Amino acid sequence: MISRRTFAALVTSVALVPTLGLAQTAPAPFDNPGEVNIALVRYLSTGDFFQAYLSGVEKQAAALGVNLQVFDSRQDAALQADMVDQAIALGVDGIIIQHGLTESMKEAAQRAVDAGIKVVAFDVNVENPAIPQVEQSDRDLARLALEAALADNGNEWVAGYVYVPGIAPLDRRDETWKEVKAANPGINEVAMFGTLDNPIANSVANQARSVLSANPNIQVMFAPYDEFAKGVKIAVDEAGMSGQVSIYSADVSTADIQLMREAGSSWKATAATNPAVVGEVSVRTLALLLAGEDPGASVIVPPTLITQAMLNELNITNMEELGAKLPAFAHADVAMAPWMTLPPR
């Protein structure tokens, strides 16, 4: 096996230089962070959320001064498992598994643990007590969005629902959707559809066109992933139904904000964490493990409800302004330690 010390010289990685010096009391191995090597193994990477998440991972890795290698499987589950094995063979100190399928990631993650590598999972359940799960509190994301839908529309409406099973965050959001329907029997779900085929928004739009044509009485679309919501909005706009259909979603980006603020937009609210902050938290969680500290079995980043009315009232046009005007969105005091250096704000 290639040694950890020679990892950075043998792979095409990003040598990340810290923007601020680490505290003198940094524990091993962060007293010599240039010899710490971590890998991010991605399943999903298409869309603004995942670009921002990657940016957060890169910035926090840079602030800590560690070397980062990124593997992108582009939604190929078998390839993602192979990439975990590649990271193991390269002798990394730690691995972040970002999304994926339980059936393909469970054994791969265990192989990494067996090799003495610290592992963190973001939004994929690898069913391993040794591996902390970083989550966006997906049930709260769905709850906040659906509370907004109920506040805006009452508790009796015809709904369409966008869902793809087997993806951990979508499955957790689905649990909340089922609970809300059970508590509000006046919600009539007439269509469930969804796809993760790239480009996701356009693929969902193709499906949504057919759904709206077959169910012109739909009043609310619950699309708990922003790429889903983008696709639904395309179809709603094309059908001339913006005044009839209201869209509620999860996740946010600058592009989402612009779509929500369009005149007469059907996209009324989204519940979100800052994906860049989630990326930072993922790296900090791994750093705690590497330093011999316990981040806990579940590391949860709390979400914020973002409404169309709020964006218009505060004149928010992008993610930077959202963080500035909603400070809770700009940083999560999660997976922190006094010796850690944070990215510059």
Side-chain angles (χ1 to χ4, degrees):
M1 179 178 289
I2 300 170
S3 73
R4 291 178 172 84
R5 292 180 181 272
T6 59
F7 168 83
L10 294 175
V11 297
T12 306
S13 62
V14 183
L16 296 162
V17 180
T19 56
L20 296 171
L22 285 174
Q24 293 293 320
T25 55
F30 295 98
D31 53 348
N32 193 2
E35 293 192 1
V36 177
N37 305 292
I38 67 173
L40 171 65
V41 183
R42 314 183 79 194
Y43 179 73
L44 292 168
S45 59
T46 299
D48 297 329
F49 179 94
F50 300 105
Q51 293 172 11
Y53 176 84
L54 175 61
S55 174
V57 169
E58 291 174 337
K59 288 178 180 178
Q60 184 63 74
L64 292 172
V66 303
N67 302 300
L68 170 68
Q69 171 77 353
V70 179
F71 297 85
D72 188 354
S73 71
R74 299 184 182 275
Q75 295 167 234
D76 184 326
L79 179 58
Q80 188 186 23
D82 288 342
M83 287 177 166
V84 171
D85 290 330
Q86 290 175 39
I88 295 170
L90 287 168
V92 300
D93 300 285
I95 297 173
I96 300 168
I97 299 174
Q98 179 232 296
H99 292 89
L101 306 179
T102 299
E103 55 266 31
S104 57
M105 278 296 96
K106 182 178 179 179
E107 292 183 1
Q110 184 60 54
R111 289 194 293 272
V113 171
D114 291 342
I117 296 170
K118 301 299 184 183
V119 180
V120 167
F122 167 53
D123 267 354
V124 54
N125 183 9
V126 294
E127 299 179 350
N128 192 317
I131 298 176
Q133 301 279 325
V134 177
E135 300 178 18
Q136 300 180 77
S137 187
D138 291 289
R139 294 174 182 84
D140 284 340
L141 284 169
R143 177 183 57 78
L144 288 171
L146 290 168
E147 284 177 352
L150 290 165
D152 292 347
N153 303 279
N155 59 5
E156 293 186 7
W157 27 271
V158 180
Y161 175 44
V162 191
Y163 173 53
V164 175
I167 303 298
L170 298 180
D171 289 343
R172 289 191 288 264
R173 296 169 195 185
D174 179 62
E175 291 172 8
T176 300
W177 170 238
K178 290 175 179 175
E179 291 171 359
V180 168
K181 286 193 300 178
N184 297 273
I187 298 174
N188 178 22
E189 180 189 311
V190 296
M192 182 175 72
F193 60 100
T195 178
L196 289 173
D197 291 347
N198 287 319
I200 296 170
N202 291 341
S203 298
V204 169
N206 290 336
Q207 294 180 329
R209 291 184 187 101
S210 298
V211 168
L212 290 170
S213 177
N215 302 277
N217 59 333
I218 285 178
Q219 299 165 289
V220 170
M221 281 282 198
F222 181 44
Y225 167 35
D226 61 342
E227 294 298 313
F228 290 170
K230 288 178 186 176
V232 170
K233 186 179 183 301
I234 290 170
V236 168
D237 289 350
E238 289 178 353
M241 299 174 68
S242 298
Q244 172 188 328
V245 178
S246 296
I247 302 169
Y248 299 85
S249 71
D251 308 322
V252 72
S253 69
T254 291
D256 299 342
I257 291 169
Q258 294 168 353
L259 291 170
M260 291 176 71
R261 291 199 63 188
E262 286 180 356
S265 175
S266 57
W267 194 341
K268 303 302 183 184
T270 191
T273 56
N274 186 331
V277 170
V278 179
E280 294 172 13
V281 169
S282 298
V283 174
R284 294 202 300 269
T285 301
L286 184 58
L288 288 173
L289 282 180
L290 290 169
E293 301 180 27
D294 181 12
S298 181
V299 179
I300 296 177
V301 182
T304 300
L305 178 67
I306 300 158
T307 66
Q308 184 185 93
M310 175 195 303
L311 295 174
N312 288 331
E313 180 181 348
L314 297 176
N315 194 27
I316 293 170
T317 63
N318 56 45
M319 292 288 282
E320 183 177 346
E321 292 174 359
L322 184 62
K325 296 180 180 182
L326 294 175
F329 189 76
H331 171 71
D333 191 17
V334 177
M336 298 282 290
W339 53 267
M340 286 186 183
T341 300
L342 301 179
R345 299 297 171 189

